[in-house]
Amino acid sequence: MDTVVVPSYTTFCLCSQGVDALRDLAEAGRLASADGVGFSFSAVGVRAATELSRAFVSVETWSRMPSILPDQRPFDFAFEGVVDFPDDCWRIYESLDPPVRLGIELPSGAGPYGARVIAYNHNEILDRFEMAQAGTSEEFAAALDDIRGLAPEAGEQYQIQLWPVGRRG
């Protein structure tokens, strides 16, 4: 599933709805703000390069942990952790796509999942944003327009892979 997100305070979260969802979202967001990616019980938070432009996110579900292949295109970072989804859906509230905000069904149902977040073009967008901040307000506005106008393949991208873990079949 591909979606576009607009980070809230530079962060977006993939999560599941449960009793402690708000607590988990806050914790994942706090950890992501500090470390780039944060894992909480039912949420994974990702710090984007800027909150002023969109990020492209691809969420993949796998039956087992996928490999990072040697010929995979270069990425800026990859973090792995475990999240426990209390319902059978994942969602991203910062998505521009209503189905993603409402929830996409997990093929293996509720339970623990391994999660890997891989970032592409993050560092380049962050560098462009920081350089733009050093310019005049007009230069900053023009640089933001350039960043917002980037084609999806040139903009900030995240690949999130999910796979069931610790289950007996």
Side-chain angles (χ1 to χ4, degrees):
M1 168 64 77
D2 294 331
T3 190
V4 176
V5 301
V6 178
S8 175
Y9 300 102
T10 69
T11 304
F12 68 91
C13 292
L14 182 142
C15 64
S16 185
Q17 192 64 42
V19 175
D20 296 318
L22 291 178
R23 179 203 67 197
D24 296 344
L25 281 168
E27 179 68 6
R30 184 187 67 75
L31 292 169
S33 291
D35 298 326
V37 174
F39 296 92
S40 185
F41 180 75
S42 67
V44 57
V46 180
R47 183 183 65 217
T50 172
E51 66 188 13
L52 301 174
S53 66
R54 62 184 184 239
F56 299 91
V57 179
S58 174
V59 180
E60 304 169 351
T61 54
W62 294 76
S63 59
R64 63 176 191 226
M65 181 181 188
S67 298
I68 295 180
L69 302 173
D71 62 344
Q72 185 166 339
R73 67 184 175 130
F75 52 86
D76 295 326
F77 60 77
F79 285 88
E80 292 178 3
V82 175
V83 291
D84 198 338
F85 295 125
D87 72 359
D88 62 351
C89 293
W90 61 265
R91 56 192 46 80
I92 301 174
Y93 293 117
E94 297 85 1
S95 172
L96 297 180
D97 301 310
V100 173
R101 287 193 310 268
L102 294 173
I104 303 295
E105 187 175 333
L106 288 158
S108 298
Y113 281 78
R116 178 184 295 141
V117 177
I118 304 172
Y120 301 94
N121 303 332
H122 173 89
N123 292 341
E124 180 180 335
I125 299 300
L126 184 61
D127 290 346
R128 290 174 75 167
F129 181 71
E130 289 175 349
M131 287 177 54
Q133 288 179 314
T136 66
S137 59
E138 292 82 16
E139 291 169 335
F140 181 66
L144 286 181
D145 285 341
D146 288 344
I147 291 171
R148 287 184 188 123
L150 289 173
E153 61 276 1
E156 191 171 0
Q157 299 175 14
Y158 297 91
Q159 179 182 20
I160 301 176
Q161 299 169 325
L162 303 171
W163 63 93
V165 295
R167 300 180 192 193
R168 298 184 183 179

